[in-house]
Amino acid sequence: MRKPIIAGNWKMNNTASEGVALVNAIAPLVKEANCDVVVCVPAIDIPAVSEALKGTNIDLGAENVHFAEKGAYTGEISATMLLEYGVKYVIIGHSERRQYFGETDETVNKRTLTALKAGLTPIVCIGESLEEREGGKTEEVLATQIHEGLKDIEDITKIVIAYEPVWAIGTGKTATAEQANETIAFIRKTVGEMFCSKCAEKLRIQYGGSMNAGNCKELMAMPEIDGGLIGGASLKAPDFATIVNFDK
Ligand code: PGA
């Protein structure tokens, strides 16, 4: 019922020309994909990658968007600017932005509402730290991120949530498939209580955190996991393609 979505998050990797070479390598490998395929790329790569993606089944995503429509925000990028290049998705609230760039649930909420208003699909990232998981606080932390970060959204089915346990990002430490499935079920239940349970059933929730060519099948086999947000493994065409083709 929910179409899986596999999205690459390049982070601060790949110049524009490297990005073009990478999507040129990925495109032929994923053309039979049964899921939605997205690459979220550094802002400066967007024009060139957008051009390279023409005629492919890969959609373009950004890694952030500002919450104002326009104005005096030196260094920032608006939804309108992204749309001009055919950007469809935008990652919001990635843990690295929360950790290093002062992102809070409040700014996540503002960015998400702005992105939705502009017609972009936000990929909203939530997740607990190792300390929080070990302290038994996972559900409490996620519930707060959901209640604060997603408030006032009119149609919750228009977003994608990425559940990314912070301790699994870039560490090679993946949540077990059962752990990820259980936590995503909790996220879906919480969203259902906040909005409506039917909407929560339609909402796509990805897992992210050291998902790779080796563990993708097991993770994607879980009933609650609707896709992946892939960092490291999205930088290598064969690995990313293996994840996209998890069902083959
Ligand atoms: P990783 O990153 O796959 O390198 O762990 C995932 C992410 O940060 O989105």
Side-chain angles (χ1 to χ4, degrees):
M1 177 181 107
R2 298 184 293 262
K3 189 174 187 192
I5 171 169
I6 302 290
N9 172 13
W10 290 2
K11 309 191 180 185
M12 198 173 72
N13 296 294
N14 290 329
T15 63
S17 56
E18 288 164 348
V20 168
L22 179 56
V23 294
N24 285 341
I26 293 170
L29 306 176
V30 302
K31 62 180 197 291
E32 309 290 335
N34 296 315
C35 60
D36 287 337
V37 188
V38 185
V39 286
C40 299
V41 311
I44 200 165
D45 295 5
I46 286 174
V49 172
S50 167
E51 211 37 52
L53 291 180
K54 287 201 174 127
T56 72
N57 58 333
I58 307 172
D59 285 325
L60 185 55
E63 296 179 13
N64 193 19
V65 64
H66 197 263
F67 39 77
E69 275 172 35
K70 64 193 292 188
Y73 298 98
T74 303
E76 293 299 310
I77 291 176
S78 74
T80 317
M81 294 169 188
L82 298 176
L83 288 167
E84 191 166 291
Y85 286 100
V87 171
K88 281 201 180 170
Y89 294 86
V90 59
I91 298 173
I92 294 175
H94 190 279
S95 66
E96 286 149 17
R97 296 217 59 91
R98 293 178 191 256
Q99 187 180 349
Y100 306 125
F101 302 102
E103 191 82 68
T104 62
D105 290 332
E106 190 191 344
T107 57
V108 166
N109 185 243
K110 286 164 87 174
R111 289 184 212 282
T112 303
L113 294 175
T114 299
L116 283 168
K117 191 166 162 219
L120 291 164
T121 299
I123 300 178
V124 180
C125 302
I126 58 175
E128 81 287 0
S129 66
L130 184 59
E131 204 185 352
E132 290 160 346
R133 178 159 282 265
E134 287 175 347
K137 293 216 164 75
T138 300
E139 295 193 347
E140 188 187 318
V141 167
L142 292 171
T144 303
Q145 290 174 340
I146 292 166
H147 290 138
E148 301 298 317
L150 305 183
K151 68 179 172 211
D152 301 329
I153 293 179
E154 263 172 45
D155 184 354
I156 194 68
T157 64
K158 291 221 162 90
I159 75 162
V160 173
I161 292 180
Y163 166 57
E164 300 207 307
V166 180
W167 47 272
I169 298 176
T171 57
K173 237 185 176 186
T174 326
T176 64
E178 288 73 23
Q179 252 174 350
N181 191 63
E182 194 181 293
T183 311
I184 290 177
F186 169 78
I187 293 168
R188 198 179 302 286
K189 180 172 115 297
T190 307
V191 170
E193 286 160 3
M194 185 176 171
F195 296 93
C196 73
S197 50
K198 270 210 179 105
C199 317
E201 282 308 314
K202 284 193 200 145
L203 172 71
R204 295 190 291 181
I205 309 179
Q206 300 171 309
Y207 168 76
S210 299
M211 189 157 164
N212 58 41
N215 60 26
C216 62
K217 271 196 177 13
E218 197 193 343
L219 286 159
M220 290 304 297
M222 300 312 276
E224 293 289 344
I225 303 181
D226 305 319
L229 185 57
I230 323 296
S234 75
L235 301 175
K236 292 183 201 126
D239 289 18
F240 187 62
T242 300
I243 302 172
V244 167
N245 296 317
F246 67 90
D247 58 340
K248 303 216 166 82

